[in-house]
Amino acid sequence: MQFLIHYLKPHVRRMAGGMTCKFLGTIMDLLIPALLAYMLDGIVPTKNAGQIYLYGGLMVLCSILAWVGNVFANRVAAGVARDCTRQIRHDLFGKITRLTAGEMDRFTIPSLISRMTTDTYNVYRMTGMMQRIGIRAPILLVGGIIVTMTRDAALSALLVALLPFMALIVWFISRKGVPLYTEQQKNVDHLTRIVRENLTGIRIIKALSKTPDEKRRFGQINEALAASETKAASVMAVNGPTMQFLLNMGLVLVVVVGARRVHFGLTGPGNIIAFISYFTIILNAMLTITRILTMYSKALASARRIEEVLDGEEEKAPDALLPLDAAAPHIQFDHVTFSYNKKEPDVKDVSFSLQRGQRLGILGPTGAGKSTLIKLLLRLYDPDEGAIRIQGADIRSLPLETLRRMFGVVFQNDALFRGTIGDNIKLGREISLEQVDRAMADAQAAFIRDKGGLDAEVVSRGQNFSGGQQQRMLLARALAGNPDILILDDASSALDFKTEAALRAALRAGYGNATTVIIAQRISAVMQCDQILVMEDGEPKGLGTHQDLMQSCPLYREIAQLQLGGEQDE
Ligand code: ADP
């Protein structure tokens, strides 16, 4: 909750204004029955028409003031809630972009999405509600009790007798109902996650005829959610009618006791009417408070989930760039070991060193740790042991901006964004049209011209293009920035052999200065590299040229024989 106070602070004055209006509006509401009682008991018997109009007019004035005050206050409340939540969403999004990759793994993406959306919405609702009925209900409750006490102590005793019962209900709701709502919220999260996974993977689920399984999985959580809703609702269902019952009983008692008191001339009938109004006001305020409690607990859970992310660990790097050593190797892995879960290493003791302009191929079966090496090089994760250096400087000593700007990267599961082809290639960078054209040509993306050029539309995740076309656009994106270091993680797997060979030739001709790291399943994509690193189960199994490895590395030889058959030259 601490963080909410921080976000509300800039709006304190506005909130104070709104709440004052709410306060005054509510007091006006409270005054009306008292005025009515006075009119009925004090003025009507005197038959003084002038006075009757005066007090009638006063009641109308109170109603108008109450209306104005409440409308103004509600608008201010909505405004504060909106501005405060907008800022939270803004900061939350910024924070998510700065989270370390490890933290992203910990929170998971679906959960981050629901924290950005559902949870911020719950907080929005609560901050709005607290300023409106959060102020109004207690004033009506306390104010109502005080007014009734001063009007007629004997009748108030009835109310006091009912209060413990009402308190009991509030206690019951907060002890029993609220945890049930928390459980329900968890089930909603779970359901959302399953739906999201399903819709993302709908093609594969259909292709593998897993639909019945998925339906069952969805059915289970849907049932669980329905069950928790039933439970919460059946507890909450007691709330309203019980309060209403108490209200009715109270009213009956007020009428019975009140009638006797009127009969004995202890009070006027107007007073009884006012009392009945206050009774209704007080009990409704109690009901509202139980609603606030439910909402509050829901929003509290959401606020905690948001706070967790805001407190998440950020990527840290120094701001200043130390001079780099031009004579040192461009990229150097020095006995690098890393584990995602900090148990079994996913990459063990990897060392290599590349001079500027050299090409490294990384080859190995899936799960061998190839992409992990790239993530370490980009500093998405930090090694547990050893160091990665660029021109002699440990990458942990480089500002992140500087480090990441050196790279042109095509990741294995990269996606295009919704927009035009041109937007996707430029990706917000200052890149000239000639550069884009050249990158497209080098990436063998001539098909773009047939598709309508750079202004052609790309739908979300690039699904209106084939896998190979997407890959070439991603390649063009990486090449367009004229990177110092080019990283291609399985970037040509969807290209046919001829296109792949043309791409390799274009890279050699146009990007000789860029140090290149190529991850591939196909040996033909890496066999001409200056060095090839063979990985298996996170361990380096060989490092050298194609010829070296054919001699020294049984795994490499095996892959070569499988893929190239007898002839090992391209
Ligand atoms: P490759 O690129 O060679 O196919 P990866 O480097 O992607 O292999 O994966 C190496 C190992 O690390 C795998 O066993 C994989 O399960 C694990 N791994 C990859 N990414 C993560 C992650 N974000 N969290 C936990 N484990 C991961």
Side-chain angles (χ1 to χ4, degrees):
M1 266 333 206
Q2 209 62 37
F3 89 101
L4 252 184
I5 295 172
H6 164 77
Y7 281 101
L8 287 172
K9 238 184 196 155
H11 308 293
V12 162
R13 285 178 58 184
R14 199 148 56 114
M15 263 165 66
M19 283 163 152
T20 310
C21 283
K22 184 99 253 185
F23 180 81
L24 294 177
T26 310
I27 296 291
M28 292 297 137
D29 277 329
L30 268 179
L31 269 180
I32 292 171
L35 284 173
L36 179 69
Y38 182 71
M39 219 164 90
L40 290 178
D41 291 346
I43 301 173
V44 172
T46 66
K47 301 211 167 61
N48 180 340
Q51 285 277 323
I52 292 179
Y53 283 127
L54 177 69
Y55 275 84
L58 266 180
M59 281 177 70
V60 172
L61 186 69
C62 279
S63 307
I64 292 175
L65 285 180
W67 181 80
V68 171
N70 284 321
V71 167
F72 178 76
N74 289 355
R75 286 194 173 164
V76 171
V80 169
R82 176 200 62 214
D83 292 346
C84 168
T85 324
R86 179 171 51 203
Q87 192 59 36
I88 293 177
R89 275 199 305 265
H90 174 272
D91 291 356
L92 195 57
F93 186 75
K95 178 75 190 197
I96 290 173
T97 59
R98 292 191 305 273
L99 282 180
T100 63
E103 289 285 83
M104 290 283 235
D105 292 345
R106 184 167 72 90
F107 287 121
T108 74
I109 300 217
S111 162
L112 285 174
I113 296 175
S114 68
R115 286 169 209 237
M116 266 301 291
T117 50
T118 321
D119 290 323
T120 51
Y121 180 65
N122 283 345
V123 167
Y124 165 77
R125 291 224 326 179
M126 181 188 68
T127 42
M129 196 168 86
M130 281 299 168
Q131 296 170 71
R132 288 181 285 114
I133 49 180
I135 301 287
R136 186 176 166 84
I139 297 177
L140 288 180
L141 182 69
V142 176
I145 290 174
I146 292 174
V147 177
T148 45
M149 287 289 191
T150 53
R151 298 196 75 81
D152 192 323
L155 283 180
S156 301
L158 286 177
L159 186 68
V160 173
L162 282 181
L163 276 181
F165 291 104
M166 294 192 279
L168 201 70
I169 297 177
V170 173
W171 177 82
F172 173 74
I173 297 295
S174 52
R175 281 298 299 273
K176 284 268 183 207
V178 169
L180 288 177
Y181 269 115
T182 316
E183 190 188 319
Q184 183 186 329
Q185 193 54 34
K186 268 197 207 137
N187 280 330
V188 171
D189 280 358
H190 194 170
L191 183 99
T192 319
R193 209 191 69 224
I194 290 191
V195 170
R196 202 165 273 143
E197 281 175 4
N198 250 306
L199 294 184
T200 335
I202 190 84
R203 278 194 307 208
I204 187 67
I205 288 167
K206 280 186 179 170
L208 297 182
S209 311
K210 293 289 279 183
T211 315
D213 278 0
E214 288 301 314
K215 272 192 184 149
R216 202 180 49 239
R217 204 155 76 100
F218 178 80
Q220 274 168 0
I221 177 65
N222 200 11
E223 281 306 312
L225 175 59
S228 59
E229 270 168 354
T230 312
K231 228 157 96 185
S234 69
V235 168
M236 287 304 179
V238 178
N239 183 24
T242 311
M243 285 289 195
Q244 201 64 45
F245 176 75
L246 286 176
L247 173 71
N248 290 337
M249 288 302 106
L251 289 180
V252 170
L253 282 176
V254 168
V255 171
V256 170
V257 177
R260 287 180 66 84
R261 288 175 66 78
V262 172
H263 181 71
F264 291 114
L266 295 171
T267 186
N271 205 21
I272 303 299
I273 292 177
F275 228 92
I276 290 174
S277 296
Y278 284 121
F279 230 78
T280 322
I281 289 176
I282 290 168
L283 289 186
N284 276 329
M286 278 303 256
L287 254 174
T288 311
I289 287 174
T290 58
R291 256 182 53 215
I292 294 177
L293 279 178
T294 324
M295 183 65 213
Y296 179 77
S297 73
K298 230 169 158 178
L300 197 64
S302 287
R304 283 209 192 99
R305 280 159 56 92
I306 294 173
E307 199 167 15
E308 249 174 38
V309 180
L310 289 175
D311 289 344
E313 195 187 331
E314 286 189 24
E315 295 180 313
K316 277 192 222 67
D319 292 327
L321 176 64
L322 299 171
L324 298 174
D325 176 5
H330 196 188
I331 302 176
Q332 186 190 21
F333 271 58
D334 185 4
H335 298 283
V336 171
T337 295
F338 170 74
S339 162
Y340 286 102
N341 56 16
K342 307 296 168 215
K343 287 179 195 143
E344 282 291 294
D346 294 293
V347 162
K348 253 178 280 177
D349 199 17
V350 174
S351 296
F352 61 82
S353 136
L354 293 172
Q355 297 304 328
R356 182 174 281 275
Q358 276 199 320
R359 284 174 303 146
L360 172 76
I362 307 180
L363 193 72
T366 42
K370 304 184 297 292
S371 303
T372 305
L373 291 176
I374 300 303
K375 292 184 206 158
L376 290 168
L377 177 57
L378 289 168
R379 230 196 133 206
L380 297 175
Y381 298 87
D382 281 330
D384 300 323
E385 286 167 40
I388 301 170
R389 299 193 189 90
I390 288 186
Q391 293 190 323
D394 191 313
I395 56 171
R396 282 168 286 202
S397 71
L398 299 176
L400 275 176
E401 272 274 316
T402 317
L403 175 71
R404 303 224 167 116
R405 208 175 281 162
M406 295 174 180
F407 294 94
V409 190
V410 182
F411 282 118
Q412 206 169 355
N413 295 322
D414 247 355
L416 294 160
F417 301 102
R418 213 181 90 182
T420 64
I421 293 185
D423 294 341
N424 263 287
I425 292 178
K426 284 192 191 166
L427 209 65
R429 298 170 294 183
E430 287 290 325
I431 293 176
S432 70
L433 259 179
E434 294 82 72
Q435 257 173 304
V436 173
D437 271 343
R438 195 186 76 143
M440 265 165 35
D442 292 338
Q444 312 303 312
F447 70 91
I448 289 174
R449 252 173 242 125
D450 309 331
K451 284 274 183 179
L454 291 178
D455 293 330
E457 193 197 351
V458 180
V459 304
S460 179
R461 307 192 69 82
Q463 288 179 343
N464 54 340
F465 290 96
S466 78
Q469 289 172 336
Q470 289 180 32
Q471 251 181 3
R472 282 179 277 172
M473 283 194 264
L474 292 169
L475 272 164
R477 176 195 285 173
L479 297 178
N482 232 344
D484 242 9
I485 302 172
L486 185 61
I487 293 181
L488 309 175
D489 184 352
D490 235 351
S492 55
S493 56
L495 304 186
D496 55 81
F497 280 100
K498 201 172 131 211
T499 313
E500 195 188 6
L503 170 71
R504 268 203 310 278
L507 288 182
R508 248 198 320 271
Y511 302 83
N513 257 337
T515 307
T516 309
V517 179
I518 302 170
I519 293 184
Q521 304 281 333
R522 292 211 293 249
I523 214 161
S524 61
V526 295
M527 60 190 277
Q528 287 176 345
C529 289
D530 303 299
Q531 297 183 56
I532 301 166
L533 173 67
V534 185
M535 296 286 296
E536 189 182 32
D537 288 339
E539 287 185 54
K541 294 287 180 186
L543 179 68
T545 61
H546 174 69
Q547 275 74 23
D548 298 341
L549 291 170
M550 286 305 284
Q551 302 278 320
S552 62
C553 179
L555 177 63
Y556 188 81
R557 215 166 30 236
E558 192 186 320
I559 300 173
Q561 266 151 15
L562 267 173
Q563 293 188 6
L564 303 176
E567 36 160 331
Q568 269 119 46
D569 291 323
E570 213 182 356

